[in-house]
Amino acid sequence: MDPLPGATGRPGRLHAAVSYAARGWQVFVLGCTKRPVANCEPCAAAGPDHDREACLCLTCHGFYAATVDPDRITAMFAAVPDGLLAIRTGAVSGLTVVDIDPRNGGEFDRALMNPTTTVTTPGGGWHLYYAHPGRSLPGKLHGREGVDIKTDGGLVVAPPSTPAGAARGYRWTSQPRPVNEMAPRLLEACQVRSGLPVPAGTGSARTSSATAVGAGAISHPDALLAATLAAVDRAPQGRRRVTLYGAARGLARMVAADALSTLDAVAALTAAGQRNQQTPRDIRGAIKGGFEAEGLLSPV
Ligand SMILES: [Zn+2]
Ligand SMILES: [Zn+2]
């Protein structure tokens, strides 16, 4: 692996951004205070049907603008010269970052967190860059104050950015390491959610939506999925929205238990909503509400 770039200043950020993109990490710019760059007027005025993922604007919608295209990256830094370089985490970049913030009580637990590519943060903390495990994870490390998990639907500010007012910036640690997979013990700890079963068979990416999971988890995911979707199909007019929302919560729990992929859940819910003539807006609202109610990041 090439050494990770360290030069500071705007040329350093641009150079770093292009080199990250060459690794497949999707990059974008944030304002100098870590806030998202403001949306353009049409995007700011757009309703919930506006497709942020498909929007072609250079810097609108935060991490939805992230790209691996060097020309777009160059244009982003020209448009926001003092912008901070950020990476969209999750499957899109193949990255899951464990974010340890000692200001909130976070501790670097070397017994749990196996060595990997590491960034030191302006707040005296660490970003541990791991390979995305191929499954959704909750946003917090359960039972650990000050440790967040930045994965699907997340972002990290990346070196060599220095936020306005910070005494120092984000820096790669001097010891170059590859981006490793999470050790099974760490992945298992990351998957713990309050009130939800811990799936068995941790440590490898799942391969099929029909994967059987261990005792205490979902034993017949295909049957559960079929029954959930059948309830949507049977829902009478007037009950359709609430039934789709309930189905979204049920499928979100299956995603949480690693019995179903997020993509499959969204596809199944969208198709079910379309079969009973719900609007794209209502379908997205049901999916978003259902996932968030189960403590997951909205996939839409
Ligand atoms: Zn725009
Ligand atoms: Zn837009």
Side-chain angles (χ1 to χ4, degrees):
M1 181 176 280
D2 297 336
L4 291 156
T8 55
R10 181 177 158 211
R13 290 196 300 275
L14 176 56
H15 173 71
V18 171
S19 80
Y20 301 161
R23 295 160 182 255
W25 300 351
Q26 299 236 357
V27 298
F28 66 106
V29 289
L30 288 171
C32 62
T33 60
K34 299 179 26 177
R35 290 236 178 91
V37 176
N39 288 350
C40 71
E41 269 184 43
C43 288
D49 284 348
H50 180 60
D51 188 343
R52 294 171 296 181
E53 196 76 68
C55 177
L56 293 175
C57 290
L58 198 58
T59 59
C60 292
H61 314 298
F63 67 67
Y64 288 99
T67 181
V68 294
D69 177 347
D71 291 339
R72 281 183 75 85
I73 295 168
T74 304
M76 282 177 183
F77 279 97
V80 191
D82 62 352
L84 302 179
L85 167 56
I87 298 170
R88 178 178 183 176
T89 54
V92 289
S93 293
L95 284 177
T96 293
V97 176
V98 173
D99 175 9
I100 305 162
D101 188 350
R103 293 171 303 181
N104 296 323
E107 288 179 359
F108 192 167
D109 180 352
R110 285 176 170 76
L112 179 67
M113 301 157 184
N114 55 300
T116 191
T117 298
T118 301
V119 167
T120 55
T121 70
W126 301 268
H127 286 170
L128 311 180
Y129 282 51
Y130 292 104
H132 187 271
R135 62 181 74 189
S136 69
L137 296 172
K140 302 260 181 207
L141 189 51
H142 186 66
R144 307 253 177 171
E145 292 294 311
V147 183
D148 291 341
I149 304 167
K150 304 296 184 74
T151 186
D152 303 297
L155 64 98
V156 285
V157 182
S161 302
T162 303
R168 63 196 183 100
Y170 294 81
R171 299 285 179 266
W172 298 106
T173 54
S174 52
Q175 206 172 350
R177 294 191 183 104
V179 174
N180 288 320
E181 292 193 0
M182 289 180 175
R185 62 178 184 274
L186 176 58
L187 183 57
E188 197 166 335
C190 286
Q191 290 178 120
V192 177
R193 285 167 228 257
S194 44
L196 284 164
V198 183
T202 54
S204 62
R206 55 183 300 287
T207 52
S208 156
S209 64
T211 307
V213 292
I218 295 164
S219 51
H220 299 287
D222 288 347
L224 181 59
L225 177 62
T228 304
L229 297 174
V232 178
D233 288 344
R234 280 196 313 270
Q237 189 90 40
R239 293 282 305 163
R240 289 178 174 171
R241 278 173 65 173
V242 70
T243 307
L244 188 62
Y245 168 77
R249 289 193 66 160
L251 266 53
R253 286 194 295 272
M254 292 180 69
V255 169
D258 202 34
L260 183 68
S261 77
T262 304
L263 279 179
D264 288 346
V266 170
L269 291 163
T270 302
Q274 286 168 345
R275 280 198 300 276
N276 64 23
Q277 278 91 45
Q278 301 196 42
T279 65
R281 179 179 177 170
D282 284 350
I283 293 170
R284 264 205 303 280
I287 296 172
K288 183 174 194 298
F291 271 69
E292 289 179 351
E294 294 298 332
L296 303 189
L297 289 159
S298 171
V300 294

